[in-house]
Amino acid sequence: MKIVTTIEELRDQLRGQLRTAFVPTMGNLHEGHLSLMRLAARHGDPVVASIFVNRLQFGPTEDFDQYPRTFDADCEKLSKEGVYVLFAPNERELYPEPQEFRVSPPHDLGDILEGEFRPGFFVGVTTVVLKLFSCVQPRAAVFGKKDYQQLMIVRNMCRQFALPTEIVAAETVRAADGLALSSRNGYLTPAERSEAPMLYQTLEAIRRHMAAGESDLAALEAQARQELIARGWHPDYIAIRRRGDLKLPTPTDLGQHVPLLVLAAARLGATRLIDNLEI
């Protein structure tokens, strides 16, 4: 695996490549990330990964400085997966001057759910993704469904800007007890790690209720919130939405069995976890 740290080196390595598959990451890689690399290999060749902790998507009170950085271990894992190039720029390389041009998702998609509780988050995400796409120029790029809203925003951005990059969705990878794999799981204490699968179980319960014919979505959301609060969680949201646009389902949608999903974000101790489940 070749490790490059500058845009010029990256373009030299990829010159003439027309089927590049790309997986952007912030490092601290786990099995979920590695599954993205394997999926990328089925959609293009060579596979390029990036590691860059993007300051633009962290709020002023969030964990940019504490975000786990495990570069040597990450390189070993990527090499074993057959990644051809790892692009690992520093901030000065990717942002040599203040990044005053930014990409703003539409308010009705970028300012709800995660966007409501993390203002500016998706502006930071779309801006760095567009810049990384400009550097790598991939034919395909892989994003996980665990960050469902992010996946949708990036896909819509590519369509509206007519980017020649197919966005491939990867299924969420879970631990044996159902917890969605995440770099932030490492922040959990042993007791919190034992409790953490309850978020997924809560989403599963909502899916079962809806499969049994429950149609009062607000009541299902409120009940799930209260159950988590009673166990010591601090939910930001539990929301049942349409898969296609993350809007609230209408009675007509429910009657026509429009595809839905339930999304959740909640703090357990000092750690904020997110998850979602297609219904």
Side-chain angles (χ1 to χ4, degrees):
M1 182 179 73
K2 298 176 174 64
I3 301 172
V4 300
T5 59
T6 71
I7 297 170
E8 183 179 1
E9 289 177 296
L10 177 69
R11 288 175 173 163
D12 283 344
Q13 288 294 332
L14 297 180
R15 187 166 286 112
Q17 299 286 359
L18 301 178
R19 299 186 60 251
T20 300
F22 179 45
V23 184
T25 83
M26 294 205 300
N28 193 31
L29 304 182
H30 50 66
E31 179 58 29
H33 293 109
L34 302 183
S35 73
L36 304 185
M37 308 298 162
R38 295 169 203 140
L39 182 57
R42 300 204 295 271
H43 286 267
D45 179 50
V47 174
V48 176
S50 66
I51 293 177
F52 181 70
V53 183
N54 178 39
R55 188 185 297 272
L56 294 186
Q57 68 194 65
F58 286 78
T61 63
E62 294 183 335
D63 58 347
F64 175 79
D65 290 327
Q66 288 76 38
Y67 193 85
R69 292 160 171 84
T70 54
F71 187 75
D72 290 342
D74 293 345
C75 290
E76 184 176 351
K77 292 173 182 176
L78 293 175
S79 181
K80 289 180 179 178
E81 293 297 332
V83 170
Y84 174 62
V85 171
L86 169 61
F87 180 42
N90 60 26
E91 285 191 281
R92 181 172 295 179
E93 177 65 20
L94 208 57
Y95 301 131
E97 58 185 271
Q99 188 66 38
E100 295 169 341
F101 286 87
R102 301 195 183 193
V103 181
S104 295
H107 295 302
D108 62 351
L109 184 57
D111 293 343
I112 62 172
L113 302 171
E114 283 296 285
E116 177 183 352
F117 289 91
R118 302 183 67 187
F121 171 68
F122 287 119
V123 172
V125 168
T126 50
T127 299
V128 77
V129 167
L130 184 60
K131 194 157 193 177
L132 288 169
F133 282 4
S134 176
C135 297
V136 177
Q137 300 185 23
R139 191 197 69 82
V142 180
F143 290 79
K145 282 188 178 181
K146 185 181 79 70
D147 299 288
Y148 198 96
Q149 189 175 4
Q150 171 179 278
L151 167 67
M152 180 174 293
I153 287 173
V154 169
R155 180 172 278 160
N156 289 359
M157 178 187 74
C158 286
R159 185 185 68 250
Q160 290 203 4
F161 281 114
L163 300 182
T165 301
E166 175 192 2
I167 302 301
V168 179
E171 296 297 330
T172 301
V173 178
R174 300 183 180 278
D177 57 10
L179 178 64
L181 298 190
S182 169
S183 296
R184 289 187 168 92
N185 291 351
Y187 296 157
L188 298 168
T189 67
E192 290 166 351
R193 176 61 186 82
S194 296
E195 170 64 20
M198 183 54 60
L199 187 62
Y200 175 64
Q201 293 171 29
T202 298
L203 303 184
E204 279 279 20
I206 289 175
R207 180 162 68 175
R208 288 196 303 271
H209 284 302
M210 294 192 67
E214 292 282 349
S215 59
D216 189 339
L217 306 188
L220 287 174
E221 293 169 353
Q223 179 182 350
R225 285 179 58 87
Q226 289 306 312
E227 289 174 355
L228 285 177
I229 290 170
R231 299 180 67 94
W233 292 72
H234 299 278
D236 283 343
Y237 59 82
I238 298 175
I240 301 166
R241 298 296 175 94
R242 299 192 308 213
R243 288 187 212 173
D245 55 14
L246 297 186
K247 294 187 184 301
L248 292 168
T250 66
T252 301
D253 293 332
L254 298 179
Q256 295 179 348
H257 303 290
V258 168
L260 305 177
L261 78 161
V262 55
L263 309 98
R267 292 190 182 277
L268 183 58
T271 306
R272 187 175 185 273
L273 302 177
I274 67 169
D275 204 347
N276 66 80
L277 195 62
E278 294 177 336
I279 299 174

